[in-house]
Amino acid sequence: MKILKLFFLILIVLFFSNYTYSQKNKIDKIFTPEELASNFLKLYPDSIIYKGQINSKKWNYEQGFILQAFYQMWLKSGNNEYLNYIKRNLDYYVDDNGNIKTYKIEDLNLDNIAPGSVLLNIYNITKNKKYKKAADILREQLREQPRTKEGGFWHKKIYPDQMWLDGLFMAEPFYSEYTSLLGNEDSFNDIANQFLLIEKYCKDKQTGLYYHGWDETKSQKWADSVTGTSKIFWGRAMGWYLMALVDVLDYFPLEHPQRKELIKIFRDLSLNLLMYRDPQMKLWFQVVNKVNEKGNFIETSASSMFIYAYAKGYNNGYLPLSYYNIAEESFNSVQLNYLKKNNDLLNLENVCAGAGLGGNPYRDGSYNYYISEPMRVNDFKGYGSLLLASIELSKKKLNAKNRRVGLDYFYNNEYKNQKRFHYIWEDTENSGFSVLGNIIEHSGAVIDSIVKAPTSEILKQYDIYIIVDPDTPQETLKPNYIDDIAIGEITSWVKNGGVLILMANDSTNCEFTHLNKLAGEFGIHFNEDSENRVIGNNYVLGTFDNLPNHPLFKKVNKIFLKEISSINISKDAEPLLVRGNKIFMASSKYGKGFVFAVGDPWLYNEYIDSRKLPEGFENYKAAQNLFQWLLNKTSNNKN
């Protein structure tokens, strides 16, 4: 009897000690993307490798997933700590010839394709050919990858005739990005086919959910003898699939005939998943349709993937606002219930370490199998999806007000190798505005291009209109000039509350006659000179460090501007950035609207994301400040 009492006493002590630990370590705030990223860097300061696990030292998708999250953090913040972390991890594997340590193309494993997206991103930034060569190797694997009879990629060579939902995320975002940047656009037909085949064979007609895998031969023990599908709706498998859809759409041509089909698949699965969201926790279970069934548990990686997809779906216009609100509610639940603090470090719990089908030892795909797979604290698949969800949720802020930023492509209309380039959103080279576009989107606005002459009907769709470096005959055979009709339309739009940004250039690279006629309406005149000239890499010559107390320069100590046209002002225009007796930035109130002018394109990729600039210049932060300031002007000016 004494032994029995002692046993129960021990149980009680253990229960309350665990309860006390759980309550003590429970958090009571929602952490920002910056805080989550900083925490991960404390957990894994040098490399993305599970401690004590040799296999995680190989080239693998989990590392690629985390690096993609840090790439998005870099786009959001411009913090080079994130960029250096990515490069350091990639450089451990990729040598100067583009060979990838531990990677074997003959494995024909789709999981190994996933880090390729980060290779392309870093290649676009650095132009170091080793990253492109490595990406080319991964693209070659896709050419050799075995396929089903209808063209679906086998998940791995060791899993013949099988398509898994996971494989769509492993291959298709990279395949799409590579095709968009370097490939043949016909490949988008192949990419769409992968999603359509999964929908055809893995979607359950009754629930609208998707089974984890499909065996074309129906010969696997886990496969249904009639349909060939596995038995269970595994949460993370659908998370990978949903993320793959919304990420691929970033690169899928707007005019492609199957784009609408992919959006419909995304919307349908997004809706169907809502039916199985736990009403109490606002999250999803490991086996999605078995809510509260014995042994089942809330799984935070799948939940975070759904959160990410819902938030991005709203931000990109595929889903209504209600999905963003659901995502935010679910995200808060993950943090408050499954993110625990211990020794000043955050730890994400309830992440399934891994699950699959077949193999050795054999995984039968049963309910008991999925609920028996071990969980891992701070698993990369969970932490990566939580960080991505946090970044995507942070973008909303101004979207509810429908702020739109239009960039002129009519007066700046340059082509190289039959492709539009130079100060445009799509240009990821040094000369492009792709990073600026990301900054604006992270400020909560929507970016767009304006390919026609501005009219009142066009301009009324936008809150901010940007004209950059209008073409000269030396740049474009038949330039479009800012004529009197356009000047009338633009000035009327500004007067009614629009915000106009004018970015000129130095004396040899800009059409000033017509630009100055427009600028003159607001008391601004570009002087057609070239100040602040920089010789070679002597970047200090482009320094402005005596900056005024102004919202544009909040927490900014030093910016870089070179070969810039100075400005004269009249009427109601005011100087903004002055050195000596010369003005380099100016602004002007005009009716209900506002004009900002600078004598240089200034915020193009080369001088905003530290591709060339040494540490210390803060053009990125200045760009963030500029659009926060001007977007606030639109909210003040618009009726």
Side-chain angles (χ1 to χ4, degrees):
M1 192 69 175
K2 288 182 179 180
I3 294 174
L4 188 61
K5 287 182 178 179
L6 180 62
F7 174 74
F8 279 113
L9 180 62
I10 291 171
L11 285 179
I12 292 169
V13 170
L14 287 173
F15 172 81
F16 280 104
S17 63
N18 286 334
Y19 176 80
T20 302
Y21 172 84
S22 176
Q23 295 304 305
K24 179 183 176 183
N25 291 277
K26 199 170 183 179
I27 65 170
D28 58 1
K29 63 165 284 187
I30 303 302
F31 291 92
T32 66
E34 289 76 14
E35 289 171 322
L36 292 174
S38 176
N39 181 71
F40 189 89
L41 292 178
K42 291 176 185 175
L43 290 167
Y44 300 96
D46 299 313
S47 55
I48 306 166
I49 296 172
Y50 293 122
K51 295 175 183 177
Q53 295 193 23
I54 295 174
N55 283 341
S56 72
K57 293 184 179 181
K58 295 180 179 179
W59 176 261
N60 69 78
Y61 73 92
E62 294 192 58
Q63 294 168 349
F65 191 46
I66 290 290
L67 293 180
Q68 184 61 34
F70 273 91
Y71 174 71
Q72 293 301 322
M73 276 302 305
W74 176 75
L75 288 179
K76 180 182 188 299
S77 67
N79 185 342
N80 277 342
E81 181 182 13
Y82 304 140
L83 186 64
N84 293 333
Y85 187 70
I86 297 168
K87 289 167 64 178
R88 187 164 65 248
N89 275 275
L90 286 180
D91 289 346
Y92 174 80
Y93 293 97
V94 181
D95 68 21
D96 289 341
N97 295 314
N99 299 308
I100 305 171
K101 186 189 300 184
T102 75
Y103 168 81
K104 297 177 182 178
I105 193 171
E106 59 269 23
D107 288 345
L108 297 172
N109 179 348
L110 288 186
D111 288 351
N112 292 333
I113 299 293
S117 292
V118 184
L119 288 172
L120 291 173
N121 296 335
I122 298 303
Y123 168 69
N124 277 332
I125 295 165
T126 65
K127 293 306 172 188
N128 187 325
K129 291 183 179 179
K130 76 174 190 177
Y131 301 117
K132 180 183 179 298
K133 289 177 180 177
D136 289 340
I137 292 171
L138 300 181
R139 177 64 183 89
E140 183 59 32
Q141 180 189 317
L142 290 180
R143 293 188 183 93
E144 298 180 14
Q145 193 76 13
R147 296 173 181 254
T148 66
K149 292 176 183 177
E150 293 171 274
F153 290 131
W154 291 7
H155 189 61
K156 301 178 184 179
K157 184 172 70 173
I158 62 171
Y159 300 135
D161 308 299
Q162 299 170 38
M163 294 185 74
W164 297 7
L165 269 65
D166 325 21
L168 277 290
F169 182 84
M170 302 305 154
E172 308 317 318
F174 165 77
Y175 193 5
S176 299
E177 186 174 358
Y178 188 99
T179 300
S180 177
L181 294 173
L182 305 165
N184 183 339
E185 288 207 353
D186 290 344
S187 294
F188 284 113
N189 297 330
D190 187 26
I191 294 163
N193 189 45
Q194 306 302 316
F195 289 99
L196 296 175
L197 287 172
I198 286 290
E199 186 205 28
K200 179 178 179 181
Y201 291 111
C202 290
K203 184 178 180 181
D204 175 59
K205 293 180 181 178
Q206 183 176 351
T207 62
L209 301 178
Y210 285 66
Y211 294 105
H212 185 179
W214 170 67
D215 172 20
E216 184 177 38
T217 66
K218 307 177 181 65
S219 61
Q220 290 292 319
K221 294 177 185 176
W222 53 258
D224 184 276
S225 60
V226 177
T227 64
T229 62
S230 56
K231 306 176 183 70
I232 296 298
F233 303 121
W234 180 38
R236 192 159 69 226
M238 285 183 279
W240 289 127
Y241 184 67
L242 203 65
M243 290 179 74
L245 279 163
V246 78
D247 286 353
V248 160
L249 288 168
D250 289 344
Y251 304 101
F252 226 80
L254 295 176
E255 68 280 1
H256 194 282
Q258 289 167 314
R259 180 181 173 86
K260 289 182 179 179
E261 290 184 69
L262 297 184
I263 293 173
K264 184 179 185 304
I265 292 171
F266 174 74
R267 286 172 175 164
D268 288 348
L269 180 54
S270 296
L271 176 62
N272 295 331
L273 283 166
L274 284 182
M275 310 299 177
Y276 300 94
R277 179 173 175 253
D278 180 58
Q280 180 178 351
M281 298 303 296
K282 311 300 182 185
L283 299 170
W284 287 264
F285 279 79
Q286 164 81 338
V287 178
V288 170
N289 64 322
K290 304 290 185 181
V291 178
N292 290 318
E293 191 156 315
K294 184 179 179 181
N296 207 2
F297 56 91
I298 294 290
E299 207 284 327
T300 54
S301 71
S303 295
S304 296
M305 289 175 179
F306 300 152
I307 293 165
Y308 165 80
Y310 283 3
K312 186 170 182 177
Y314 166 71
N315 286 335
N316 289 4
Y318 312 134
L319 297 174
L321 176 61
S322 58
Y323 282 85
Y324 179 93
N325 295 335
I326 289 165
E328 190 170 45
E329 182 181 49
S330 296
F331 179 76
N332 292 347
S333 180
V334 172
Q335 290 220 30
L336 295 174
N337 293 289
Y338 297 101
L339 198 61
K340 304 295 174 62
K341 198 166 190 177
N342 187 25
N343 295 327
D344 292 323
L345 291 173
L346 300 173
N347 297 288
L348 179 63
E349 299 182 348
N350 274 51
V351 184
C352 172
L357 296 165
N360 185 20
Y362 197 84
R363 297 163 295 185
D364 65 3
S366 65
Y367 176 76
N368 286 335
Y369 161 69
Y370 283 101
I371 64 170
S372 300
E373 281 291 84
M375 288 186 276
R376 178 162 47 205
V377 174
N378 291 327
D379 183 278
F380 300 148
K381 301 176 287 296
Y383 208 107
S385 52
L386 183 69
L387 181 53
L388 284 168
S390 179
I391 295 166
E392 201 60 45
L393 284 164
S394 74
K395 292 181 184 180
K396 182 207 172 190
K397 296 179 182 176
L398 294 173
N399 269 359
K401 300 176 184 177
N402 297 315
R403 301 293 174 223
R404 298 183 65 84
V405 178
L407 177 61
D408 164 65
Y409 284 24
F410 186 69
Y411 304 115
N412 170 40
N413 186 33
E414 293 184 63
Y415 282 77
K416 181 169 66 175
N417 299 326
Q418 299 182 322
K419 186 176 181 180
R420 189 191 290 273
F421 85 113
H422 219 201
Y423 312 136
I424 62 171
W425 304 132
E426 299 86 353
D427 187 355
T428 59
E429 303 289 333
N430 286 340
S431 59
F433 269 4
S434 61
V435 177
L436 180 61
N438 278 304
I439 288 172
I440 295 169
E441 289 181 322
H442 278 286
S443 296
V446 177
I447 61 172
D448 198 3
S449 52
I450 302 176
V451 297
K452 296 180 179 179
T455 64
S456 58
E457 285 299 307
I458 291 174
L459 291 174
K460 72 179 184 181
Q461 302 173 49
Y462 299 96
D463 299 275
I464 295 178
Y465 176 39
I466 308 172
I467 298 177
V468 186
D469 185 27
D471 295 338
T472 65
Q474 288 73 36
E475 297 168 313
T476 301
L477 186 61
K478 293 183 179 180
N480 297 312
Y481 295 122
I482 304 173
D483 60 21
D484 290 343
I485 295 174
I487 290 172
E489 298 280 14
I490 295 168
T491 54
S492 176
W493 171 78
V494 174
K495 191 173 184 179
N496 287 324
V499 172
L500 176 66
I501 298 177
L502 298 176
M503 291 181 164
N505 210 328
D506 61 66
S507 57
T508 61
N509 290 301
C510 183
E511 197 288 309
F512 281 103
T513 303
H514 296 84
L515 177 63
N516 270 329
K517 194 169 183 180
L518 170 63
E521 295 290 322
F522 313 109
I524 293 168
H525 179 86
F526 297 103
N527 291 326
E528 305 185 37
D529 50 2
S530 185
E531 300 290 334
N532 234 39
R533 298 189 70 81
V534 172
I535 301 171
N537 294 331
N538 194 4
Y539 296 109
V540 68
L541 297 176
T543 300
F544 281 82
D545 54 8
N546 187 19
L547 301 173
N549 181 17
H550 187 277
L552 173 53
F553 302 115
K554 183 180 179 181
K555 296 183 179 180
V556 174
N557 297 309
K558 183 169 67 173
I559 64 169
F560 181 84
L561 267 169
K562 73 178 182 73
E563 296 161 20
I564 177 173
S565 172
S566 63
I567 294 171
N568 283 343
I569 58 173
S570 61
K571 299 181 180 178
D572 293 327
E574 297 179 351
L576 197 155
L577 180 64
V578 179
R579 186 160 65 189
N581 61 353
K582 295 194 174 182
I583 300 169
F584 295 98
M585 295 182 186
S587 64
S588 178
K589 294 179 181 178
Y590 189 80
K592 296 180 181 179
F594 194 79
V595 179
F596 169 79
V598 57
D600 188 73
W602 184 33
L603 299 177
Y604 51 102
N605 295 339
E606 184 175 6
Y607 296 119
I608 195 173
D609 66 3
S610 300
R611 296 184 188 209
K612 288 189 175 182
L613 292 183
E615 293 290 334
F617 288 105
E618 298 174 289
N619 287 17
Y620 193 103
K621 177 60 178 172
Q624 290 178 312
N625 289 346
L626 174 65
F627 279 90
Q628 288 171 2
W629 174 51
L630 293 180
L631 285 166
N632 285 333
K633 292 280 185 188
T634 68
S635 65
N636 292 333
N637 294 338
K638 287 277 185 178
N639 290 328

